[in-house]
Amino acid sequence: MFVAALVAVFVAWMVAGWGGATVTSAVSGAGTFGITVAAGICCLLRARACRGRDRAVWAFLTAGTFVYACGEGTWAGIETIAGREVPFPSLADAGYLGMVPLAAVALLLVPTHRRSAPQRLRTLADAAMIACSLLLISWLLVLEPLLGTGGTVLSRAVGFGYPISGVVLVTVVLHVLAVLRRDDPHAGALTLVAVAMVVLGVSDSAYAFVSLHDSYGSGGLLDAGWFVAFALVLLAARYPVGPGAATGGPAEPRTFALLVPYAPILVAVVCSVAFSAVTGRTDAVHNGCRAALIALIVVRQLLTLLENRHLTRHLEDRVAARTAELRASELRFRALVQQSSESVAVIDPDSTIRYQSDSVERNFGWPARLLLGRRLVEIAGRRSGPRIAAAIEAVVAGPDKVTVLEVPMRHQDGRYRLAEMTITNLLDVPAVGGLVLNTRDVHDAQELQERLMHEAYHDALTGLPSRALFRERLVEAVARASGTDDVAILFLDLDGFKEINDSLGHAAGDALLCQVAERLSAAVREGDTVARFGGDEFGVIVESVAARTDAEAVAGRIAAALEAPFLVGERELLVAASIGLACAADAEDVEQLQRNADLAMYRAKSGGGNGMAAYDPAMLTGLVRRLELEADLRAALAREELVLHYQPTVDLRSGEITGFEALVRWHHPTRGMIPPLEFIGAAEATGLIVPLGRWVLREACRQAVAWGAGTTRRLKMAVNVSVRQFEHGDLAATVAEIVAETGMPVGQLCLEMTESVLLTDTDENLAQLRRLKDLGVTLAMDDFGTGYSSLAYLRRFPMDTLKIDRSFVDRLGGEREDEALVRTIVRLGQSLGMTTVAEGIEDSAQLSVLQDLQCDYAQGYYLSRPLPADEAGRVLREGFSAKVT
């Protein structure tokens, strides 16, 4: 704003001539000199702030401005200080004219786009046309009249220098404006410089003309023109740098760049016609310029044609490259679709198939060509057609709608396979214009899931409902009960079974349990639930309006049914049962009801067995014992009574030990060695499992580091973690702290967890598992198949290893159906990229079957029992007798 006001005052002063000629002359000289010096200083500051070619541009502008300032200072000194008229020419003219080449070089150094050879030639032709046009205009208006004036040769040469310099400056300016990058951060400043040079060139040409006619005097529009020119230079130097970024990319033709040469040509033509009309004559320069312009226009048109051809080839190349890219993308997409395990189809709203991928033949036996043009609802048949039609109708209701359904689809051989269909509405997408149908065969996966569900809810040995199904049915029974005495349960524990199992072996024990299950099922009423909890424990649910009385009667029949000897092999075995009875009336919830039955069963067993005891609130003996166990366990952590034993994990291909599983043992000071089954449950219930698990993890890592010292073997150390450890604190942070403390390589640590971790607080546990995975820890699912083994959970959670439960391994070597289940689990692990570990190998037959099924690793007493640290270290160093061949 200050500069604009200063310019306005100066121009007004010069035009009005305030204070007379002497004052106006002094103001003109001082003002022009001052604005020139100020502009030079600002250009210098701008040059120091720039880099590369931008710095060179402003450096030359600085030099040119200061040269001009020298000329202006000389003029002002002669006229103002010496008090005499400045002659023409003078030393001041050397400064004025000396600026022109510096300013031209500065403008020609402005960075421009990378251009092709035809573009560069066309640009040069444009510059030549502009120069020729401006020269013609200058000749007609200034130069030709100057020939008729008097003066010395030097004065005439200097006089010609001003209009010629004007032609040079305006030509360079128009050329630079035509090629200036629009994204140049200095574009605004350079535009102001260009305008300043045009004003300066016009003023210089006018000065030369009036000087040679002895009519120039200080003041007036000429002095105002020079002042305005350098004021614009000052503003340009102070103009802020824009946000544009110099890309250096190829230049794109612009309308301004294409039309800019024709503006001076048009003016030149008008001037030429007017000159000829007024004077009625021409001269050699006039004719030469016109001929040169015509030739340059022809050359430019030829160059423009070449440039257009170059651009056409460039566009064709780009189109060809893009077409090839799209073709490659199409082929890649087609290959992915055709080789996908999913069948992809595009159908109309009436289910007519317009496109079908070839993968449908692999999944459902139908060649794709036979399906085109047919309606999907007709192919699906009456079993699935109506459901598919309803799904299509729902999806068609709105764009981008998606629905998923599972329907049985008929295979070409007549079988029905369960299929999962995802229908997406892409009718509004021009490239598709239909409903996209993704179909995958989930029949085998569904069968496996149903089988695993059955395994999870049924005892593998006896076929009876498991504890999980028993609890679900008990919850349903209590919810259905209309009175407090409508539900009762019986808990049974076989007396003397452990002795039979230990003396005659597991096979005899299993045969006995199967016969017991049959007698229990026969002894209860129709509608009662008989379940096996595990080991030699069973449960019965009794529902009736007099459940307590009916349960007592059922217990009597069970006791009577067990009195007859059991024939196992060639032996007759006698077994009785301790039975505990509890009613829903004595419990606030299902958990308490089961706990009451458990207390009653322990009361019956503590009374000598072979009897029944009904729950009484005074039954706390068993509970007290458990509390004592919990108290002792708290003290055991402090007294260092816990030790770890290590069971080797063996590679079924090489027979080498690849790692160990750390198993905790308790040396009780009075009760001796207590197995984990007796105290882990108490630790889970009380939360002691959290500090216990931390201790086990630290001790196992310390031992693994000790074994790995001085060797290159990378042993995997497996540690079991509980769902309670996920619920209390950040398990990933605990693991990171312990591996850092012990120096355990995190990649050699494996954390094993049961499927309960996947079912409890799923989102939070998933987040913790991902943090553990990010640490580099290997994650294993323990006892796979004994819980709710959802395939969705397996895909969602970042597991690395499946551990096949010993209940599946126990049955290997017998029925082929049992072998098929293990084979399915192994293949499931392979399909999900997981390794498989078989637990509980007891004999060579099981080992051989697992090797045939391509199971990766194995554990079990046949290979090695869990060993104390020193014995495990010896086995690791010396190896054990080869059992894996």
Side-chain angles (χ1 to χ4, degrees):
M1 293 297 294
F2 173 75
V3 175
L6 186 63
V7 169
V9 170
F10 186 88
V11 172
W13 196 316
M14 293 300 103
V15 174
W18 296 328
T22 302
V23 174
T24 301
S25 176
V27 170
S28 173
T32 305
F33 178 74
I35 196 70
T36 306
V37 172
I41 294 172
C42 291
C43 288
L44 178 62
L45 295 176
R46 180 83 172 223
R48 294 183 62 184
C50 294
R51 296 288 183 271
R53 291 182 65 176
D54 290 323
R55 169 174 283 188
V57 169
W58 291 101
F60 273 97
L61 281 176
T62 301
T65 304
F66 280 128
V67 168
Y68 195 96
C70 292
E72 186 62 32
T74 302
W75 179 284
I78 295 173
E79 186 176 54
T80 304
I81 299 174
R84 58 188 178 87
E85 183 177 353
V86 181
F88 182 83
S90 68
L91 290 176
D93 296 306
Y96 298 148
L97 294 176
M99 179 190 176
V100 174
L102 295 173
V105 170
L107 292 173
L108 291 175
L109 287 176
V110 172
T112 60
H113 283 290
R114 186 176 69 250
R115 290 167 293 166
S116 63
Q119 286 178 317
R120 289 196 296 270
L121 292 174
R122 194 259 301 161
T123 302
L124 292 176
D126 289 346
M129 290 169 60
I130 294 170
C132 190
S133 300
L134 293 176
L135 181 61
L136 177 59
I137 295 170
S138 182
W139 172 261
L140 296 176
L141 299 180
V142 180
L143 295 175
E144 198 272 342
L146 286 178
L147 290 175
T149 62
T152 66
V153 174
L154 179 61
S155 64
R156 286 190 173 190
V158 174
F160 271 84
Y162 278 100
I164 295 298
S165 66
V167 169
V168 171
L169 279 179
V170 175
T171 299
V172 173
V173 165
L174 293 178
H175 167 73
V176 170
L177 289 178
V179 298
L180 182 65
R181 283 196 312 245
R182 287 172 289 182
D183 62 349
D184 193 310
H186 300 277
L190 292 173
T191 301
L192 288 176
V193 171
V195 174
M197 294 302 105
V198 171
V199 173
L200 186 64
V202 173
S203 299
D204 285 349
S205 296
Y207 165 72
F209 185 81
V210 300
S211 292
L212 289 175
H213 287 80
D214 297 326
S215 60
Y216 173 73
S218 295
L221 289 177
L222 281 180
D223 287 14
W226 289 318
F227 188 91
V228 169
F230 285 99
L232 289 173
V233 173
L234 186 150
L235 289 174
R238 302 297 299 166
Y239 196 89
V241 178
T247 61
E252 296 292 339
R254 291 189 294 162
T255 303
F256 177 78
L258 295 174
L259 296 180
V260 68
Y262 295 103
I265 290 175
L266 181 61
V267 175
V269 169
V270 171
C271 291
S272 176
V273 172
F275 179 83
S276 298
V278 171
T279 64
R281 60 184 177 83
T282 60
D283 54 44
V285 175
H286 188 178
N287 294 332
C289 287
R290 288 190 299 181
L293 275 177
I294 294 172
L296 287 172
I297 291 173
V298 173
V299 171
R300 187 184 191 276
Q301 292 303 112
L302 291 175
L303 292 175
T304 302
L305 178 61
L306 290 176
E307 182 181 357
N308 289 338
R309 292 181 63 184
H310 174 78
L311 289 175
T312 302
R313 284 196 301 270
H314 177 66
L315 289 175
E316 289 175 349
D317 292 341
R318 290 178 61 182
V319 169
R322 182 59 178 162
T323 302
E325 181 182 347
L326 291 175
R327 178 59 178 167
S329 177
E330 178 186 353
L331 293 175
R332 182 166 57 251
F333 174 76
R334 182 179 296 275
L336 289 174
V337 169
Q338 298 297 349
Q339 300 303 320
S340 172
S341 59
E342 293 188 5
S343 166
V344 181
V346 178
I347 62 176
D348 291 327
D350 64 353
S351 82
T352 300
I353 300 174
R354 291 197 287 109
Y355 168 79
Q356 176 63 65
S357 65
D358 292 337
S359 53
V360 70
E361 187 169 3
R362 293 194 302 271
N363 292 336
F364 300 101
W366 296 94
R369 64 182 185 280
L370 297 182
L371 300 178
L372 296 178
R374 298 181 60 183
R375 297 184 64 212
L376 178 62
V377 293
E378 296 175 354
I379 298 172
R382 288 180 294 179
R383 291 182 62 181
S384 304
R387 291 186 59 196
I388 295 175
I392 292 176
E393 184 178 354
V395 168
V396 171
D400 298 325
K401 277 201 167 187
V402 179
T403 189
V404 180
L405 69 158
E406 289 187 355
V407 292
M409 290 295 294
R410 187 165 60 88
H411 196 278
Q412 191 183 32
D413 60 11
R415 295 178 296 124
Y416 276 89
R417 306 281 296 177
L418 186 65
E420 180 186 85
M421 289 186 175
T422 302
I423 306 175
T424 306
N425 184 349
L426 296 182
L427 289 168
D428 294 338
V429 178
V432 180
L435 306 176
V436 177
L437 180 68
N438 295 80
T439 307
R440 33 185 210 108
D441 185 350
V442 296
H443 192 83
D444 293 336
Q446 186 67 23
E447 279 190 347
L448 173 61
Q449 184 161 333
E450 290 176 356
R451 192 163 183 181
L452 292 174
M453 280 281 291
H454 184 273
E455 293 286 344
Y457 281 102
H458 290 82
D459 177 53
L461 179 63
T462 63
L464 294 176
S466 65
R467 185 187 292 273
L469 183 55
F470 179 89
R471 186 186 183 285
E472 285 191 8
R473 290 186 179 179
L474 181 57
V475 170
E476 294 169 358
V478 171
R480 286 194 300 266
S482 57
T484 58
D485 199 30
D486 288 355
V487 179
I489 60 174
L490 301 173
F491 276 15
L492 292 80
D493 186 88
L494 299 183
D495 300 328
F497 176 77
K498 184 177 185 303
E499 288 74 13
I500 295 174
N501 205 43
D502 291 344
S503 60
L504 300 181
H506 293 294
D510 290 348
L512 175 60
L513 289 173
C514 291
Q515 294 185 44
V516 169
E518 292 175 1
R519 294 193 189 184
L520 291 178
S521 300
V524 301
R525 306 170 311 159
E526 184 177 356
D528 292 341
T529 295
V530 179
R532 182 188 175 213
F533 297 157
D536 58 351
E537 294 185 1
F538 295 84
V540 179
I541 301 176
V542 178
E543 290 184 77
S544 71
V545 294
R548 182 185 298 271
T549 302
D550 290 340
E552 291 176 351
V554 169
R557 291 199 297 271
I558 288 174
L562 297 178
E563 289 179 355
F566 292 88
L567 184 61
V568 178
E570 299 179 354
R571 296 176 181 271
E572 287 189 352
L573 303 175
L574 293 174
V575 67
S578 297
I579 305 174
L581 185 151
C583 294
D586 298 324
E588 295 181 358
D589 53 34
V590 169
E591 303 302 332
Q592 186 176 358
L593 177 58
Q594 294 183 93
R595 185 169 61 249
N596 292 345
D598 201 33
L599 290 172
M601 182 186 71
Y602 277 107
R603 169 61 62 86
K605 184 170 284 293
S606 64
N610 193 19
M612 186 200 75
Y615 171 74
D616 186 293
M619 292 180 177
L620 296 177
T621 304
L623 182 58
V624 169
R625 182 174 180 274
R626 291 185 184 181
L627 292 175
E628 290 176 349
L629 183 66
E630 293 169 7
D632 288 346
L633 182 57
R634 291 179 189 276
L637 285 170
R639 294 196 294 255
E640 298 182 353
E641 296 173 0
L642 300 173
V643 296
L644 292 184
H645 285 192
Y646 302 90
Q647 186 171 31
T649 301
V650 179
D651 189 328
L652 288 180
R653 290 177 293 272
S654 65
E656 294 182 353
I657 295 176
T658 59
F660 291 89
E661 180 179 3
L663 303 169
V664 65
R665 299 291 186 264
W666 181 8
H667 281 294
H668 194 277
T670 60
R671 298 171 59 185
M673 184 71 77
I674 300 178
L677 288 178
E678 293 190 21
F679 66 86
I680 291 297
E684 291 268 8
T686 60
L688 286 173
I689 194 68
V690 177
L692 175 60
R694 187 182 299 112
W695 177 86
V696 170
L697 180 60
R698 180 179 288 106
E699 193 66 18
C701 289
R702 185 194 61 76
Q703 185 61 64
V705 171
W707 281 334
T711 67
T712 58
R713 297 185 66 175
R714 294 177 55 84
L715 292 174
K716 210 73 158 174
M717 180 59 73
V719 178
N720 291 281
V721 290
S722 164
V723 67
R724 296 293 294 270
Q725 291 175 261
F726 282 85
E727 297 169 354
H728 291 75
D730 190 343
L731 181 58
T734 300
V735 171
E737 175 188 344
I738 290 176
V739 296
E741 173 189 333
T742 59
M744 173 73 171
V746 70
Q748 294 175 227
L749 177 61
C750 175
L751 297 183
E752 298 183 2
M753 61 212 70
T754 62
E755 298 168 35
S756 59
V757 171
L758 310 187
L759 303 176
T760 306
D761 196 8
T762 303
D763 292 335
E764 175 59 27
N765 287 352
L766 175 58
Q768 293 213 52
L769 287 173
R770 284 178 175 164
R771 290 197 293 272
L772 288 169
K773 192 67 178 172
D774 291 341
L775 287 177
V777 176
T778 300
L779 301 179
M781 181 181 291
D782 201 7
D783 302 333
F784 177 71
T786 58
Y788 186 76
S789 307
S790 171
L791 296 179
Y793 282 123
L794 285 182
R795 292 192 185 99
R796 184 180 179 191
F797 285 80
M799 293 294 170
D800 302 293
T801 302
L802 291 181
K803 298 197 73 173
I804 305 171
D805 187 65
R806 66 179 64 248
S807 61
F808 300 139
V809 176
D810 285 344
R811 290 174 287 172
L812 291 179
E815 297 292 334
R816 295 189 61 85
E817 183 178 355
D818 298 327
E819 181 179 320
L821 178 58
V822 175
R823 177 185 291 107
T824 302
I825 295 175
V826 171
R827 289 182 177 176
L828 175 65
Q830 293 172 345
S831 67
L832 296 177
M834 301 180 185
T835 58
T836 49
V837 181
E839 297 181 291
I841 297 177
E842 302 289 344
D843 54 48
S844 59
Q846 297 170 351
L847 181 65
S848 177
V849 172
L850 289 168
Q851 288 177 313
D852 292 341
L853 297 179
Q854 297 183 355
C855 182
D856 299 308
Y857 303 99
Q859 290 176 284
Y861 273 50
Y862 176 72
L863 298 170
S864 174
R865 62 181 178 82
L867 302 170
D870 54 349
E871 292 185 35
R874 179 180 56 78
V875 169
L876 181 61
R877 291 189 304 271
E878 302 175 2
F880 49 80
S881 56
K883 296 182 179 181
V884 181
T885 57

